[in-house]
């Protein structure tokens, strides 16, 4: 390897996204829509994985070391 070689030319970095960019606004809108969809409904419409009939008779013990 030659010690007198020039290092490669560095290219400038792309500009950082700002709050007003279209891509940023699109991601914000998609996240906001997903949050709104998750907040829809009432407590009566929420279902759980553990119905009381499913839990009866199943005892699980976690043994610590």
């Amino acid at each position: 390897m030659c010690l007198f070689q020039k290092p490669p030319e560095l290219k400038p970095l792309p500009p950082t996204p700002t709050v007003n960019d279209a891509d940023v606004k699109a991601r914000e809108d998609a996240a906001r829509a997903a949050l709104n969809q998750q907040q829809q409904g009432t407590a009566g419409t929420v279902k759980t994985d553990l119905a009381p009939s499913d839990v009866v008779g199943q005892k699980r013990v976690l043994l610590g070391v």
Side-chain angles (χ1 to χ4, degrees), residues 18-34:
T18 63
V19 178
N20 298 327
D21 287 344
D23 292 338
V24 174
K25 287 186 179 187
R27 282 194 299 265
E28 282 180 356
D29 291 341
R32 192 173 292 116

Side-chain angles (χ1 to χ4, degrees), residues 50 53-60:
L50 299 175
S53 61
D54 292 341
V55 178
V56 174
Q58 297 179 3
K59 291 186 179 180
R60 297 185 180 168

Side-chain angles (χ1 to χ4, degrees), residues 1 11 13 23 26 29-31 35 40-42 45 52 56 59 63-64:
M1 185 165 123
K11 297 177 184 175
L13 294 174
D23 292 338
D29 291 341
L35 273 175
Q40 298 290 321
T42 62
T45 61
V56 174
K59 291 186 179 180
L63 300 175

